[in-house]
Amino acid sequence: MIEAMVHDMGKAMAKGHRSIGHGLEVTRKNLNEAEENIRRGLHTDHRAAEDGIHLKPGQNVLKKEDLEDEYRDAVSTRIDGLRQEGHGPQRHLDPTDQMLKDRLGVPTPPRMVDNQLEYHRMEHGYVQTERKIDPAHGPHGKQLPEPDRYMDAEDPTRRHKCGAFSTAFKPGEDEAFMHAERYARQQLDLSEDPLRPVRFPPGKAWGPGDHSERFRGFYIDPERPVTHGNINYKPVDFQGADLIAVYRRDERTGDVRLVTMYPEPVKERNK
């Protein structure tokens, strides 16, 4: 019975929950049912009362902690699978805060205009940068020799690119990442070729509420990019942010794979 319950939980996760709250509700329901099933079995089965619970070879009774471990393992397995599909977790879940800052690069050397230093600008006035380090290189990316450290981890023939913001899910938000990706996958129009990116507010995947605390990120202060030789990073305000998921079809198998998924902040809130 316990094994069947764990199997059902796995099936539910495979189909994908529409919210983290729903996923956790299913987990709690399964744990409570498992506990009740054990109590009922001990009460009605006299053999169990006299001789203990009879198990087949290789079977064991899972405790609540074991079931929680099963669920965590299932989340971890799914995130590992997404790492194999593309670079979503590598760039937008795994990196440290410093790796996110390193991804922004350093401001392109300013030019002198009317006896004042003027920084090069991107669209919307954000600071143009160079020497960007791809978080997908891993924690030792900065230790790579130049120019390798500035090349794209997936395509070493080109420089790594990053816009004005370097964003990610906070550490420990693997489950949030998993549920958001499953919601996005359900929104795909598989008749399209290529597949159109899926943009959605986090509440669509996780339920109503403000979910901005699940994200982190940085951008370089447009007003004062550098002070005394140090880059001025500003934390991203994620109020009103959307999630964007990008997919592609595997040319060989036709399977739909996640290229990346990341939170995109509202520019007007980050000046």
Side-chain angles (χ1 to χ4, degrees), residues 242-253:
D242 280 339
L243 283 167
I244 297 177
V246 181
Y247 292 87
R248 67 164 177 259
R249 281 192 180 87
D250 187 296
E251 295 181 359
R252 183 176 58 84
T253 66

Side-chain angles (χ1 to χ4, degrees), residues 202-239:
K204 289 288 187 179
W206 303 332
D210 176 17
H211 298 286
S212 59
E213 75 283 352
R214 297 187 184 277
F215 306 128
R216 60 199 166 103
F218 302 94
Y219 65 106
I220 295 176
D221 187 347
E223 297 298 323
R224 301 180 65 191
V226 177
T227 302
H228 304 303
N230 296 316
I231 299 174
N232 292 323
Y233 298 101
K234 297 185 71 172
V236 172
D237 179 346
F238 285 102
Q239 292 286 333

Side-chain angles (χ1 to χ4, degrees), residues 107-124:
T108 302
R111 54 179 178 252
M112 189 67 71
V113 177
D114 296 331
N115 294 321
Q116 288 188 336
L117 290 178
E118 184 177 280
Y119 284 91
H120 299 265
R121 301 285 173 169
M122 297 186 290
E123 190 178 7
H124 302 293

